[in-house]
Amino acid sequence: AAVSTPVNSLYADPPLINDKENCAKILSEIIKIPYEDLLKKLQKDKRFVWLKRDLVDDEFEAIKKIKYQGLDFIKEEKRFYPNGMMLSHLVGVTDIDELGLEGIEKKFNSFLKGKKGFETVLKDGVNNKIYSEYKDWEAVKDGNNIYLTIDPFIQFSAEKTLDEAISKWSAKGGCA
């Protein structure tokens, strides 16, 4: 099984950040990325730089509190696999942008993904939203679902038995 769940990702608009060294120092402690790496990103002459995608809740809340001009969040979707590795060879995986890389995720990527609109936001000097406009909002469409008819209890038992046999016979792999 695979489920999409919303996550927050952090980006910077480097020209808007006045004290890049202090910002990198504070962020480094919160998101556990080396100071030098963050400073290098904040010194770029770009208007958009990813700092960290898929923030955990504690990181998100801590960054919201510091209210640094030039830092902001984008809500993204992250693929979550509640059954872990079970059926992973069939279900497949996605990359950080939810592009299917293997299995059903790849084969039915366009069917599963849907379409997103985007928002243009204008903010004041202290990062308060003063204007927003949605583009292509009428084109927004949720992705579709695919339901597999595989019994999870039988699948778990088969995979467990296979793993035990591979281990017992020191095999490189196996299939059932």
Side-chain angles (χ1 to χ4, degrees), residues 35-96:
Y35 166 81
E36 296 79 17
D37 294 348
L38 286 171
L39 185 58
K40 192 181 295 184
K41 288 181 179 188
L42 295 178
Q43 290 174 334
K44 289 187 177 186
D45 189 25
K46 292 184 173 185
R47 298 305 310 250
F48 181 94
V49 178
W50 282 118
L51 297 180
K52 184 174 181 186
R53 297 176 82 175
D54 185 17
L55 297 168
V56 296
D57 289 340
D58 292 344
E59 293 170 333
F60 175 67
E61 293 302 324
I63 295 166
K64 270 188 2 184
K65 288 179 184 171
I66 63 174
K67 296 183 181 181
Y68 235 103
Q69 182 180 354
L71 297 180
D72 209 345
F73 304 96
I74 292 179
K75 192 162 286 290
E76 299 186 285
E77 296 285 322
K78 178 184 179 190
R79 219 58 171 150
F80 173 65
Y81 301 92
N83 295 326
M85 294 299 293
M86 189 169 79
L87 278 172
S88 61
H89 60 286
L90 179 64
V91 174
V93 294
T94 63
D95 65 9
I96 195 164

Side-chain angles (χ1 to χ4, degrees), residues 9-167:
S9 294
L10 176 66
Y11 73 91
D13 184 347
L16 295 180
I17 299 174
N18 295 326
D19 188 354
K20 292 172 177 37
E21 292 81 9
N22 191 46
C23 183
K25 180 178 181 263
I26 292 169
L27 286 176
S28 176
E29 294 172 12
I30 296 171
I31 62 177
K32 308 299 184 239
I33 292 177
Y35 166 81
E36 296 79 17
D37 294 348
L38 286 171
L39 185 58
K40 192 181 295 184
K41 288 181 179 188
L42 295 178
Q43 290 174 334
K44 289 187 177 186
D45 189 25
K46 292 184 173 185
R47 298 305 310 250
F48 181 94
V49 178
W50 282 118
L51 297 180
K52 184 174 181 186
R53 297 176 82 175
D54 185 17
L55 297 168
V56 296
D57 289 340
D58 292 344
E59 293 170 333
F60 175 67
E61 293 302 324
I63 295 166
K64 270 188 2 184
K65 288 179 184 171
I66 63 174
K67 296 183 181 181
Y68 235 103
Q69 182 180 354
L71 297 180
D72 209 345
F73 304 96
I74 292 179
K75 192 162 286 290
E76 299 186 285
E77 296 285 322
K78 178 184 179 190
R79 219 58 171 150
F80 173 65
Y81 301 92
N83 295 326
M85 294 299 293
M86 189 169 79
L87 278 172
S88 61
H89 60 286
L90 179 64
V91 174
V93 294
T94 63
D95 65 9
I96 195 164
D97 293 313
E98 288 206 345
L99 175 66
L101 300 176
E102 295 179 21
I104 291 172
E105 294 279 13
K106 181 176 182 179
K107 177 74 176 170
F108 295 99
N109 186 68
S110 60
F111 180 75
L112 292 166
K113 194 162 180 82
K115 294 184 180 177
K116 297 180 181 179
F118 62 93
E119 180 181 13
T120 303
V121 178
L122 179 62
K123 295 188 174 190
D124 64 16
V126 289
N127 215 22
N128 295 317
K129 188 185 294 188
I130 55 176
Y131 171 79
S132 69
E133 176 184 352
Y134 293 99
K135 301 281 187 187
D136 294 335
W137 214 241
E138 63 279 351
V140 172
K141 179 181 175 275
D142 288 340
N144 296 293
N145 296 320
I146 294 177
Y147 298 96
L148 303 179
T149 58
I150 297 169
D151 185 301
F153 300 108
I154 294 171
Q155 182 66 31
F156 175 78
S157 179
E159 288 187 20
K160 182 178 179 221
T161 303
L162 187 59
D163 286 343
E164 289 168 357
I166 290 169
S167 180

